[in-house]
Amino acid sequence: MSSQTSAPSQASPPATGIGVSLATLIPEALFDQLRSEYGPPFANHLQVVSEGGAILWGKASASSCEFPEQCNPNCWLTVTESLRWGEVCVLPCPCDRASWAVPVVLNNRLLGALVVRGVKLERRGDSPGSLDKKILEGCNKLLLLATRYNLTNTALMELNRQTAANERVKAEAIHAWKQRFVDDMRALYLREEPELLAAIRRGERPAARGVINRVLVAIYSLGQDRVDLLKSYVLELVVMMGRAAVQGGATPELVFGLRFRSLAELDQITEVDEVGRWLTNMLEHLLDALGSHQKFPNTVQLGRALTHMEEHLADNLCREDAARVAGMSPSHFTRLLSEHTGHSFAEMLTLMRINRARERLLHSEEEISSIALSCGFADQSYFTRVFHKVTGQTPGDFRRQPKPSTAQK
């Protein structure tokens, strides 16, 4: 019979759903009509299933599989999911078969479902997506068929569909907010981490507390009253602080043991205000651990700064950058540099750049202008003036002079 055939009288439900059974609502004759209109390729897979999962009409062989104990509950799950989302839901079974369903509802009472089950998930031919398209068409056709014969509550389905759409929008908004929170926190860490690490390495409590307070204000502002969210970002700070303490000279075993005990305490915290107090106490314990052990010698800290300068000669270096890498204040770094080298930061940087330039002039065929830029000089004329002041020669004269190996011959 064609899909244009009008519904028989049995399809019109009684005025009330009280006492109406699934067999009364969908007698066998009506099921045959539904299967005829549903047509190929899934008509033989169509069944009427009661709320308990028993097959009222339809061939049980259509859903035969190797895992009935898993497929049968999964088949009924398509019904509950369809009700929840307000649209037909397709679920695969462990046996590579698919099922979908439309709930049979009378006056908000779930009686059973029109179920299509046991559809083999095989893709044949040159169109690998053809089966997916057919399944989608089968889902839509089944819903239209149930609606035409008044076998489902279309108003309820539409309400659930709108609710699901609203929940989806809400979930996307929450996800976007969380991502923005993550991005903001990452930017905060990048901005504050160098100063915090330097303060912890130096054992400077006021400076370290100042950074922690700024970070806490930002965390509270972004996290609002979500204590679980606050705790997750505080943990990142603790890892960073512990690493700084170890780099500053504290014994790793002591720092890691302290962190383990403190994390156990953090797990028990349930109030937002307690998170800040816990983090401050953790900072104090780390600084105590750092102060009870020998710090790195000043020469090691100075060597760290000089290495950084050597690696960034072409950049626009400043004294504050080098001091931060060494874990010192700028004034302490300047004093230490003068004591060990006899030069100020600017003088030392100039000497390092000129030495790099001398090596390239002797051992490469680069243009002088290119060497000037790669060694941190703004232009060739300025490079020439500084080079002459330090060496007593112009870069060209220096390059033309006999190489050390030639002079020895």
Side-chain angles (χ1 to χ4, degrees), residues 249-306:
T251 303
E253 292 77 12
L254 179 62
V255 172
F256 295 150
L258 173 64
R259 194 167 68 190
F260 177 79
R261 292 192 301 273
S262 297
L263 293 181
E265 297 173 2
L266 179 64
D267 186 57
Q268 304 301 317
I269 290 178
T270 58
E271 299 295 331
V272 170
D273 292 341
E274 295 179 20
V275 177
R277 287 193 292 271
W278 176 88
L279 181 60
T280 302
N281 290 336
M282 182 66 183
L283 173 65
E284 297 297 330
H285 290 322
L286 284 174
L287 291 172
D288 289 341
L290 181 61
S292 64
H293 291 77
Q294 182 67 35
K295 292 184 179 180
F296 280 152
N298 286 337
T299 52
V300 174
Q301 292 176 283
L302 182 60
R304 190 184 299 136
L306 292 174

Side-chain angles (χ1 to χ4, degrees), residues 97-357:
R97 298 172 185 266
S99 301
W100 59 91
V102 173
V104 174
V105 178
L106 180 61
N107 294 338
N108 294 329
R109 177 186 166 205
L110 179 64
L111 298 180
L114 293 176
V115 177
V116 175
R117 61 192 302 188
V119 176
K120 187 68 174 175
L121 291 176
E122 292 180 343
R123 293 182 174 89
R124 299 178 179 178
D126 298 329
S127 302
S130 59
L131 181 61
D132 295 334
K133 183 178 179 181
K134 287 181 180 179
I135 287 178
L136 180 59
E137 292 173 350
C139 290
N140 294 333
K141 190 173 181 179
L142 186 63
L143 180 58
L144 290 174
L145 200 60
T147 301
R148 185 188 310 144
Y149 282 86
N150 298 318
L151 299 177
T152 193
N153 190 326
T154 54
L156 178 62
M157 294 283 282
E158 178 61 26
L159 176 62
N160 290 348
R161 185 158 48 248
Q162 290 298 327
T163 301
N166 292 338
E167 290 298 322
R168 189 179 300 114
V169 171
K170 185 188 300 183
E172 291 173 353
I174 292 174
H175 177 74
W177 179 85
K178 287 183 177 180
Q179 186 59 50
R180 187 163 60 252
F181 183 90
V182 170
D183 293 340
D184 290 344
M185 288 306 303
R186 186 177 294 114
L188 173 70
Y189 287 150
L190 291 175
R191 185 172 65 251
E192 299 288 358
E193 181 179 15
E195 184 174 348
L196 177 61
L197 296 184
I200 292 177
R201 290 192 194 109
R202 297 194 302 265
E204 295 183 357
R205 294 175 187 264
R209 290 192 195 108
V211 177
I212 289 297
N213 287 336
R214 290 198 299 271
V215 171
L216 280 175
V217 168
I219 288 178
Y220 285 142
S221 174
L222 293 170
Q224 303 298 326
D225 57 352
R226 288 282 305 279
V227 65
D228 54 337
L229 204 56
L230 297 178
K231 287 161 68 172
S232 68
Y233 283 98
V234 162
L235 285 176
E236 294 190 30
L237 271 179
V238 171
V239 173
M240 184 173 67
M241 290 158 52
R243 185 171 64 248
V246 172
Q247 291 175 350
T251 303
E253 292 77 12
L254 179 62
V255 172
F256 295 150
L258 173 64
R259 194 167 68 190
F260 177 79
R261 292 192 301 273
S262 297
L263 293 181
E265 297 173 2
L266 179 64
D267 186 57
Q268 304 301 317
I269 290 178
T270 58
E271 299 295 331
V272 170
D273 292 341
E274 295 179 20
V275 177
R277 287 193 292 271
W278 176 88
L279 181 60
T280 302
N281 290 336
M282 182 66 183
L283 173 65
E284 297 297 330
H285 290 322
L286 284 174
L287 291 172
D288 289 341
L290 181 61
S292 64
H293 291 77
Q294 182 67 35
K295 292 184 179 180
F296 280 152
N298 286 337
T299 52
V300 174
Q301 292 176 283
L302 182 60
R304 190 184 299 136
L306 292 174
T307 299
H308 180 75
M309 293 168 64
E310 187 74 30
E311 293 173 349
H312 295 83
L313 289 178
D315 300 335
N316 186 21
L317 280 173
C318 65
R319 182 186 65 159
E320 287 71 17
D321 290 337
R324 187 180 298 111
V325 170
M328 307 177 189
S329 66
S331 59
H332 181 55
F333 169 65
T334 299
R335 184 168 58 253
L336 190 63
L337 183 65
S338 179
E339 289 175 358
H340 284 268
T341 68
H343 298 289
S344 67
F345 171 77
E347 292 170 342
M348 192 66 198
L349 183 59
T350 298
L351 286 175
M352 294 173 75
R353 285 172 168 168
I354 292 300
N355 285 337
R356 174 72 60 80

